[in-house]
Amino acid sequence: MKTDIYRTCPIIENSNFLLRRTTLNDKEDLLKVYSDKMSVPFFNSDNCDGDDFFYDTLSRMEKAINYWNEEYKLNGFVRFSILNKKNNEAIGTFEIFKRVSKVDKFNNFLILRLDLRSDFEKSQIVLELLKIIIEPLVKIFACSKIASKVIPENTERRKAFQNYGFIQSYSPLIGDNDQKYFNYFVLPTN
C-alpha cells in the first residue's frame, strides 16, 4: 500500500539508527554536522541556488530547518534526521524527492541527498543507512529509480554505494539554467 509521505511521514529504524522528519529540536546536533568542515564538501548542493550547506550559527541552522519544513508542506522534498540510538543525537540528515525532468535521464528518479557528520562517514555506516532507507522509500514513492551524488574524493561513501548495488552514471543531471551536474550513482531498476 502506497503512503502519502507528505501527509504522514514515516519513522524508519533499525537497532542503531532512527530516521524521522527533521524538526527544530535537532538544530544543535545538526549544527555540528553542517559546521563540520570535513563533511561539507561531501554534501550535494546541486541546483540549490548557491547554498553550500555550511552553517556555523544556530540561527542559520534554524533557518535551513524552517526552509526544509516549508518544502515538505509544499510537497517539494522530505528531510529526515538520522539519530544515533546510542545517545539520541542527530548525526546527519537525508533528503528524498521524486524528480521530474524533460531534459535528462533522471526523469522520475528519486534523488537521495545524504549529509553525515565526518566521524560517521564510514562505508559500513553508510551501507547500513542505505539498507534501512532504500526499501521503504521505493515503496512509499512507488519508484525504483534512485540516484545520489557521490564525489570521487568520498571513497568511503563510494564503497558503500557500490556494495549496495549502485553504479556510476556518466550522464549529467541537468539543473536550472542548463547547469550540468556530475558524479551521480544510480541504482539499477528492476
Side-chain angles (χ1 to χ4, degrees), residues 17 29-43 53-54 82 84 89-93 114-126 129 153-157:
F17 299 103
D29 289 345
L30 292 181
L31 181 62
K32 295 175 191 171
V33 176
Y34 289 93
S35 65
D36 182 341
K37 291 182 180 179
M38 291 175 58
S39 291
V40 171
F42 298 149
F43 299 166
F53 293 93
F54 177 71
I82 302 166
N84 181 354
E89 182 180 28
I91 52 97
T93 69
L114 180 62
D115 302 340
L116 292 172
R117 205 173 66 204
S118 61
D119 53 328
F120 285 88
E121 191 69 58
K122 309 284 186 235
S123 63
Q124 70 274 13
I125 292 172
V126 173
L129 289 169
E153 296 81 6
N154 194 337
T155 56
E156 292 289 320
R157 186 173 297 202

Side-chain angles (χ1 to χ4, degrees), residues 129-148:
L129 289 169
L130 291 174
K131 287 178 178 178
I132 60 176
I133 291 170
I134 301 294
E135 186 178 326
L137 293 176
V138 162
K139 288 179 183 174
I140 289 168
F141 283 96
C143 181
S144 62
K145 299 188 293 186
I146 302 171
S148 190

Side-chain angles (χ1 to χ4, degrees), residues 75-137:
N75 296 0
F77 59 76
V78 185
R79 180 74 67 152
F80 286 79
S81 289
I82 302 166
L83 292 116
N84 181 354
K85 284 188 169 181
K86 289 179 184 168
N87 57 11
N88 205 35
E89 182 180 28
I91 52 97
T93 69
F94 77 90
E95 175 185 301
I96 192 84
F97 62 94
K98 191 169 186 177
R99 183 171 190 272
V100 177
S101 172
K102 295 181 180 175
V103 296
D104 63 30
K105 75 173 243 169
F106 295 97
N107 184 43
N108 290 318
F109 268 72
L110 294 180
I111 303 297
L112 172 66
R113 299 176 191 254
L114 180 62
D115 302 340
L116 292 172
R117 205 173 66 204
S118 61
D119 53 328
F120 285 88
E121 191 69 58
K122 309 284 186 235
S123 63
Q124 70 274 13
I125 292 172
V126 173
L127 182 59
E128 181 177 353
L129 289 169
L130 291 174
K131 287 178 178 178
I132 60 176
I133 291 170
I134 301 294
E135 186 178 326
L137 293 176

